[in-house]
C-alpha cells in the first residue's frame, strides 16, 4: 500500500507545486483532519473519497487496510500539518503499517515558521511535543536548563499551563513566545510575554511556543553534585530523618541510575533521594512511596525548591498500594521498611525488571530495635538473591551505614 503524505500550513489558500497538484487531481482516496479537509476541499476531485483522521486511530487504519484489500495498488493521499515526519502522521503510518510505501511532500513545521518570523536561529533549540503526550520530556528540558525550548502544544498543555508549571518549580528566567495560526494571513498572531503574563492569557488553537532563556546561569551552578542536607525541608526539623548527602550519592551510584529508566523510592520521608536522583538524572521516571501523610507536603516543597517536577508521589502503606498500573522499575531504593523488609522485597520482585537492582541502606546502632541487616539477609536467602559486595561508611558522628545491593 502507498501513502502520499502532503504537508500543509494553516493558510486557507494553500500553494501546491505543480507536481503535487497533478497528484491531487489524479487521486481517488484522501485523508486528513477536519481542519485539513476544510483547507484542501477546493482542490479535491468531485468524486473524491475522504477519510477523517480521528481518534482512536485504530479505526482509521482499519479503513485503510480494507481499501488496500480491495485494491492493493491504491495510493492514499494524506494531508498533515507541516513536516509529516516532525511528530507527524508519517511517523504514525510507519509505526502502524511498517510495510507501506510512503512518499513525502513536506512544508515547514510550526516551530520552524515561528523561528522564521522571529529571525531566530533554531539549530540549537530543544524540541518537545506535548501534543497528546505527558510532561516528562518537557520536565527533562527544564531540569537540564535548555536555553531555547520549542514546544508543540495541545488543548491540555496550553501556553498558560506550561507557564504555570514553570513558575511552580522556579523556572522564571524564560520569556515565552507564542505563535497562533501560523501560515494563516488573517489569523496569524505572534506574542512575546513573561511567564506571569502568559498564565493570564488565552491563546487560540493551533499554537506553538518557544521558550527563550534570559539571564541564564550555567547548569553547574544550578545543579550542585550533591544537594547540601541543610537546604532540604525536613520532617519536624529532624536532620537524622534524611539520607545524608555523601551516602545519598553513593546510593545513587549503587542504583546505577545512568543506565536505568524507572526508579522506585520506597519510604522517601523528605524525598531527598528522589529529588537528588531527578536532578542528576532527569531522564528517569520516579515513583516515590511513603506511609506518613505529612511527608507529602515535604517532598513537594523540596521538589519545588530544587526545580524537579514530575516525581510521582504515592502516600500510604506500600504493601497495600495498588502498583499494577505503575511503570515497572529497574531500580528500587528501600529507605524505610517498618520491620517489613521481606514483605516489601517480595512485592517489589513481582514487578522488578529482569536485571533490575534493589538497594537498601542498613543502619548499625544499638539504639535501633530492628536488625535490618538480618532481615535483608533472610530475604535474600528466601528469594534466592545473590548479594553484591556491600559498602560500609560512617559519616562524622552518625551511625555506620552499610549500602546493600542485589540484582534480579
Amino acid at each position: 500500500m502507498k501513502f502520499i503524505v502532503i504537508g500543509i500550513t494553516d493558510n486557507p489558500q494553500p500553494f501546491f507545486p505543480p507536481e503535487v497538484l497533478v497528484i491531487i487531481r489524479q487521486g481517488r482516496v484522501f485523508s486528513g483532519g477536519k481542519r485539513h479537509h476544510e483547507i484542501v476541499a477546493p482542490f479535491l476531485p468531485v468524486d473524491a473519497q475522504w477519510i477523517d483522521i480521528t481518534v482512536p486511530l485504530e479505526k482509521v487504519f482499519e479503513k485503510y487496510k480494507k481499501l488496500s484489500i480491495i485494491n492493493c495498488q491504491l495510493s492514499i493521499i494524506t494531508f498533515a500539518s507541516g513536516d509529516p515526519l516532525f511528530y507527524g502522521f508519517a511517523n504514525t503510518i510507519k509505526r502502524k503499517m511498517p510495510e507501506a510505501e510512503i512518499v513525502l511532500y513536506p512544508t515547514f513545521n510550526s516551530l520552524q515558521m515561528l523561528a522564521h518570523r522571529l529571525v531566530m536561529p533554531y539549530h540549537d533549540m530543544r524540541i518537545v511535543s506535548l501534543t497528546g503526550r505527558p510532561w516528562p520530556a518537557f520536565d527533562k528540558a527544564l531540569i537540564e536548563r535548555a536555553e531555547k525550548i520549542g514546544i508543540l502544544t495541545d488543548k491540555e498543555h496550553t501556553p498558560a499551563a506550561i507557564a504555570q508549571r514553570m513558575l511552580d518549580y522556579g523556572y522564571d528566567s524564560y520569556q515565552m513566545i507564542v505563535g497562533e495560526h501560523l501560515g494563516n494571513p488573517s489569523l496569524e498572531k505572534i506574542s512575546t510575554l513573561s511567564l506571569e503574563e502568559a498564565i493570564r492569557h488565552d491563546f487560540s488553537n493551533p499554537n506553538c511556543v518557544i521558550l527563550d532563556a534570559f539571564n541564564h546561569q550555567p547548569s553547574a551552578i544550578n545543579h550542585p553534585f550533591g544537594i547540601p542536607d541543610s537546604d532540604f525541608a525536613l520532617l519536624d526539623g529532624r536532620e537524622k530523618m534524611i539520607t545524608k548527602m555523601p551516602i545519598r550519592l553513593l546510593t545513587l551510584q549503587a542504583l546505577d541510575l545512568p543506565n536505568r529508566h524507572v526508579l522506585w523510592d520506597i519510604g522517601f520521608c523528605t524525598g531527598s533521594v528522589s529529588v537528588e536522583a531527578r536532578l542528576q538524572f532527569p531522564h528517569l521516571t520516579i515513583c516515590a512511596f511513603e506511609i506518613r501523610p505529612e511527608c507529602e507536603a515535604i517532598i513537594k516543597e523540596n521538589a519545588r525548591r530544587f526545580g524537579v517536577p514530575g516525581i510521582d508521589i504515592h502516600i500510604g502503606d506500600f504493601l497495600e498500594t495498588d502498583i499494577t498500573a505503575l511503570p515497572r522499575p529497574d531500580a528500587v531504593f528501600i529507605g524505610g521498611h517498618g520491620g517489613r523488609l521481606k514483605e516489601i522485597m517480595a512485592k517489589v520482585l513481582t514487578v522488578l525488571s529482569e536485571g533490575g537492582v534493589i538497594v537498601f541502606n542498613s543502619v548499625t546502632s544499638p539504639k535501633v530495635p530492628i536488625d535490618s541487616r538480618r532481615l535483608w539477609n533472610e530475604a535474600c536467602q528466601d528469594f534466592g538473591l545473590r548479594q553484591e559486595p556491600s559498602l560500609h561508611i560512617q559519616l562524622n558522628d552518625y551511625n555506620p551505614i552499610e549500602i546493600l545491593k542485589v540484582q534480579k
Side-chain angles (χ1 to χ4, degrees), residues 270-320:
T270 62
S272 64
V273 170
S274 287
V275 168
E276 186 85 63
R278 184 81 172 131
L279 193 65
Q280 306 300 342
F281 308 101
H283 70 281
L284 288 172
T285 296
I286 300 179
C287 297
F289 305 85
E290 174 58 54
I291 196 170
R292 289 167 290 195
E294 62 269 30
C295 290
E296 181 174 12
I298 295 172
I299 191 174
K300 287 182 177 179
E301 168 59 26
N302 285 325
R304 285 191 293 267
R305 188 174 291 189
F306 302 108
V308 287
I311 297 174
D312 185 18
I313 301 168
H314 300 266
I315 299 298
D317 189 336
F318 175 77
L319 293 175
E320 298 177 6

Side-chain angles (χ1 to χ4, degrees), residues 42 93 117 252 277 295:
I93 296 172
R117 301 292 191 270
L252 300 187
C295 290

Side-chain angles (χ1 to χ4, degrees), residues 35-310:
R35 183 171 61 89
H36 300 140
H37 193 189
E38 294 173 358
I39 292 173
V40 304
F43 296 86
L44 303 183
V46 176
D47 59 347
Q49 177 183 350
W50 183 271
I51 299 174
D52 270 327
I53 298 177
T54 57
V55 293
L57 290 177
E58 286 71 18
K59 293 185 177 180
V60 178
F61 279 87
E62 286 175 7
K63 294 178 182 179
Y64 294 160
K65 290 175 182 177
K66 287 179 181 178
L67 288 173
S68 69
I69 292 173
I70 297 171
N71 182 359
C72 63
Q73 302 299 317
L74 179 68
S75 293
I76 296 180
I77 301 171
T78 303
F79 295 94
S81 297
D83 182 347
L85 286 176
F86 184 78
Y87 297 100
F89 195 65
N91 296 323
T92 306
I93 296 172
K94 288 171 67 67
R95 186 175 66 255
K96 297 283 189 180
M97 300 180 71
E99 74 286 353
E101 178 186 355
I102 301 175
V103 177
L104 293 175
Y105 293 92
T107 189
F108 292 117
N109 66 61
S110 59
L111 287 172
Q112 286 177 308
M113 294 175 67
L114 181 54
H116 293 165
R117 301 292 191 270
L118 301 169
V119 195
M120 174 187 285
Y122 59 89
H123 61 277
D124 56 346
M125 185 161 63
R126 176 81 69 89
I127 304 298
V128 172
S129 176
L130 293 176
T131 305
R133 293 173 171 85
W135 291 106
F138 176 64
D139 293 343
K140 183 174 184 288
L142 288 180
I143 295 170
E144 293 178 345
R145 301 315 201 257
E147 296 196 19
K148 194 183 297 177
I149 308 173
I151 308 169
L152 301 177
T153 64
D154 64 15
K155 292 181 180 179
E156 178 182 352
H157 303 90
T158 63
I162 292 166
Q164 186 65 64
R165 190 172 183 85
M166 296 175 70
L167 290 173
D168 286 345
Y169 288 92
Y171 293 95
D172 55 359
S173 61
Y174 289 84
Q175 67 176 359
M176 176 177 283
I177 306 161
V178 183
E180 303 167 74
H181 296 282
L182 294 169
N184 187 321
S186 59
L187 296 177
E188 179 174 301
K189 183 180 179 182
I190 298 173
S191 307
T192 301
L193 312 94
S194 69
L195 298 180
E196 290 80 5
E197 291 170 330
I199 62 175
R200 299 189 298 269
H201 199 98
D202 290 328
F203 299 92
S204 60
N205 290 306
N207 62 62
C208 64
V209 167
I210 292 178
L211 298 171
D212 194 18
F214 58 86
N215 191 27
H216 203 76
Q217 294 180 321
S219 60
I221 296 176
N222 293 287
H223 287 178
F225 185 67
I227 303 169
D229 300 334
S230 59
D231 289 355
F232 282 98
L234 302 173
L235 177 62
D236 299 327
R238 296 154 65 189
E239 292 186 7
K240 291 186 177 181
M241 299 299 290
I242 185 173
T243 303
K244 301 299 179 292
M245 186 256 285
I247 297 170
R248 191 186 323 132
L249 294 180
L250 287 171
T251 299
L252 300 187
Q253 184 275 332
L255 288 162
D256 188 29
L257 295 184
N259 300 308
R260 305 294 170 180
H261 299 91
V262 180
L263 168 67
W264 283 13
D265 179 7
I266 301 172
F268 64 72
C269 191
T270 62
S272 64
V273 170
S274 287
V275 168
E276 186 85 63
R278 184 81 172 131
L279 193 65
Q280 306 300 342
F281 308 101
H283 70 281
L284 288 172
T285 296
I286 300 179
C287 297
F289 305 85
E290 174 58 54
I291 196 170
R292 289 167 290 195
E294 62 269 30
C295 290
E296 181 174 12
I298 295 172
I299 191 174
K300 287 182 177 179
E301 168 59 26
N302 285 325
R304 285 191 293 267
R305 188 174 291 189
F306 302 108
V308 287

